[in-house]
Amino acid sequence: MPGSLRVSVDTGGTFTDVIAVDAESGDLYAVKTASDREDPSRALVTGVEKVLGLAGRGFDDVSLLVHGSTTATNAVLEHEFDGIGLLVTQGFRHLIEIARQSVPDGYGNSFFWVKPPRLVPLHLVREVPERILYDGAVARELDEDAVVAAAEELVAEGVNRLAVCLLHSYANPAHERRIGELLAQRFPELFVSLSSVVLPEYREYERAMTTLLDVMVKPYCRTYLGNAEAELARRAGPRPFLIMQSNGGVVTAKAAGERPVNMLLSGPAGGVLGAVEAARAAGISDIITLDVGGTSTDVALIEDLTVRLTSESVIESYPVKIPMIDIATVGTGGGSLAWVGPNQSLKVGPRSAGAVPGPIAYGRGGTEPTVTDAATVLNRFPASLVGGELVLDRDSARAAFEEFGRRFGLDADEAAAGVLEVAAAGQVAGIRQVSTSKGRDPAAYTLVAFGGAGPLLAAQVADFLGMTRVLVPPYPGNLSAFGLQVTDIKRDLVRTYVSPLEPRVADDLDVIWSELEQAGTAELRAEGVEDHDVEVIRGADARYVGEGYEVAVSVPAGLTGREALDATVAAFHAEHHRIYGFSYDGKQDVEVVNLRVQAVGRLHRPPHRSRYDTAGTAPSAPTTRDVYWPGEGWRSCAIHDRAALTPGVSVAGPSVVEEYGATVVVPPGWQVTRDTAANLILTKG
């Protein structure tokens, strides 16, 4: 019989983080292990073994395993686009090249902006004769011979992943489904994604890009998820193995492998949920999350502890139109490489040293300096990381920065400090995407810093933005894994329906919502969710007539007919005003574009308590070491063990607080206090 341990695993580009919670006692255990780029499932199983060893338990004691990952995100950030092809309707070969007319930073940048690397080059795009109209009617039958010929050409050119995006397939998926059947018969080794499965919505460019991203990460995700599930079953027998999605909910591993694009921000989604729990415990309601891993930084803005979803996300300039927690991602993490850009400018990321070889200081063969190496040179880190398992080679890191600094006329210390400043600036850019660009002043929020490198630069990032309070939760290096413990099973369903929100369409809305609800509930039942644990949330994407982009709104449960329609309109006006600061209630008609349903299967949340909850009554004496600070040079700083800090005790900067999995840097002018929920609160002044 399954035991009482719920295990959650978050796979990052450098480390795989694991949390185990005993559902009966609430005891919590946290470990980290190096990620395996070639097969993430190996590190996943190793991490589970490690946390079970710490808890003194075996695989038989595991009742549930939940997994989140940045594997898919990192593949996009590092532009691993080889071997991707695309099939489109005849006449639409330049779909990706044309894209949208919007230019970053406004039209003043039109002559200088270079489009990001294409997910698929033009010579790997093929047209197939067929045509379906916007209402689903077939205007031209599919030429099956042309489909097979196009696929043969692409496979001969090295394509092993093929996306299919036909015009108006959201209205009638018949032709795409037939292409899927043909490809499965003739090219069973080919990874295929159909836009009508991945994203059955209108707007062919966003649909094509989302489908391309899905097929791009499918080999990574489907293969390693299958390997992990098989290995866990071999050791522990059949156990629920759930995968976090970008919307903050989980699905089975099989469902995740079918549409892996929904995993793009699964690790960061867990981090947001964990940050919300930490903020709730601290009595803070408005936060900005700063999740810094080995390869990327993920940020989100949370108001009133409410996690909001968006279907207009962008990862590295690539649109991803699926429901996901509103997270912005930038390619700056602890393992990001420092390099010399155009005009001798200092750049950091998006390329990463990964887990192997990793930063130079890890002693695994790394040769290019990273953010971690910069912190090592400046003595921000202890002599070893991850509880002493990873001894840092400070001399090699310093030698690398001496050479790197000569390119800029800087010594090793100045060059390392410059790398940290550029890395912090990159993280600031991500925060501005979710705050100032949407009319929010980041200074009005608390920065919640986590991830292995989040607390390292959090105060520096806050200084950039005028923020005066930073919260560092317990086990910050494992917070994304902890967030996987406080989630539910979720399925998102959508159907395009473009119409003014007038009384005549009220019945149509009810019919579509009901059909989506039935489909979502059936999927949850198939995953073993009891009906009494199912909650169905209706929603819609709406806009003012004449606008080009929509606002997502939720519709109160239990309403039907005209009441549901009126509630949708009212919710749209209110949400439009919240986002943009104005609305045209009573002045402009509203139209719906997509109808949505989120089916939620509620999961039990176990109690939990960390080792910090039983910290001593008096702090132990800190040690000291010299740490470099820009503008001040080397200063002797107090070094504190986080477990020794007691509630209410304040420590002034400059100082460093060390713990398993993360290092909290408190610069001059800041101080840190532990609250009663075991959070560290950094304040300016």
Side-chain angles (χ1 to χ4, degrees), residues 536-596:
V536 177
I537 303 169
R538 291 182 173 185
D541 298 339
R543 64 190 180 191
Y544 288 117
V545 173
E547 285 189 328
Y549 290 92
E550 303 82 47
V551 170
V553 298
S554 296
V555 181
L559 300 182
T560 59
R562 180 64 182 272
E563 286 185 333
L565 185 145
D566 291 342
T568 303
V569 173
F572 167 76
H573 289 308
E575 185 67 2
H576 195 282
H577 192 279
R578 185 191 72 82
I579 296 173
Y580 301 110
F582 68 93
S583 66
Y584 292 122
D585 192 356
K587 301 176 182 178
Q588 178 66 297
D589 292 335
V590 178
E591 66 180 359
V592 67
V593 173
N594 297 308
L595 296 178
R596 299 183 181 275

Side-chain angles (χ1 to χ4, degrees), residues 228-460:
E229 187 171 32
E231 182 63 16
L232 291 168
R234 185 183 71 81
R235 298 184 181 219
R239 293 289 189 274
F241 183 39
L242 303 178
I243 309 301
M244 173 65 85
Q245 300 179 104
S246 302
N247 65 1
V250 292
V251 296
T252 62
K254 182 176 183 296
E258 291 170 353
R259 281 190 288 182
V261 71
N262 290 324
M263 285 182 61
L264 271 178
L265 293 179
S266 68
V272 171
L273 298 180
V276 168
E277 289 298 308
R280 179 178 286 112
I284 298 171
S285 59
D286 296 332
I287 63 173
I288 293 175
T289 67
L290 180 71
D291 179 4
V292 186
T295 302
S296 61
T297 294
D298 306 294
V299 299
L301 184 144
I302 307 295
E303 295 176 320
D304 196 26
L305 295 178
T306 301
V307 177
R308 297 184 183 277
L309 300 183
T310 180
S311 58
E312 302 291 343
S313 290
V314 175
I315 297 179
E316 275 280 295
S317 302
Y318 304 111
V320 187
K321 197 170 169 51
I322 58 172
M324 60 174 61
I325 294 176
D326 195 358
I327 297 172
T329 300
V330 293
T332 304
S336 294
L337 297 172
W339 53 287
V340 182
N343 303 317
Q344 284 297 107
S345 57
L346 195 161
K347 301 285 187 180
V348 177
R351 287 196 310 118
S352 171
V356 179
I360 296 170
Y362 287 2
R364 297 172 178 165
T367 58
E368 298 178 84
T370 67
V371 172
T372 294
D373 293 314
T376 301
V377 168
L378 302 181
N379 243 7
R380 304 286 175 89
F381 287 143
S384 61
L385 302 178
V386 197
E389 295 180 23
L390 185 59
V391 178
L392 296 179
D393 183 351
R394 184 168 282 114
D395 291 340
S396 294
R398 172 165 288 278
F401 266 99
E402 286 173 350
E403 180 179 348
F404 186 74
R406 279 195 286 270
R407 307 181 195 181
F408 302 97
L410 303 173
D411 62 27
D413 299 333
E414 293 169 330
V419 166
L420 293 188
E421 185 171 0
V422 172
Q427 295 165 11
V428 167
I431 290 176
R432 285 175 173 156
Q433 288 182 42
V434 301
S435 58
T436 53
S437 66
K438 298 183 179 180
R440 302 293 191 273
D441 180 6
Y445 297 78
T446 297
L447 187 66
V448 180
F450 54 98
L456 173 69
L457 295 175
Q460 194 168 352

Side-chain angles (χ1 to χ4, degrees), residues 10-15 35 37 40 69-81 216-217 220-221 263-266 268 293-298 315-316 329-333 336 350-352 354-355:
D10 174 50
T11 298
T14 304
F15 285 105
S35 293
R37 184 65 174 271
S69 173
T70 59
T71 299
T73 311
N74 294 342
V76 178
L77 294 176
E78 298 186 32
H79 299 167
E80 298 178 1
F81 303 153
M216 171 191 165
V217 301
Y220 305 102
C221 297
M263 285 182 61
L264 271 178
L265 293 179
S266 68
T295 302
S296 61
T297 294
D298 306 294
I315 297 179
E316 275 280 295
T329 300
V330 293
T332 304
S336 294
R351 287 196 310 118
S352 171

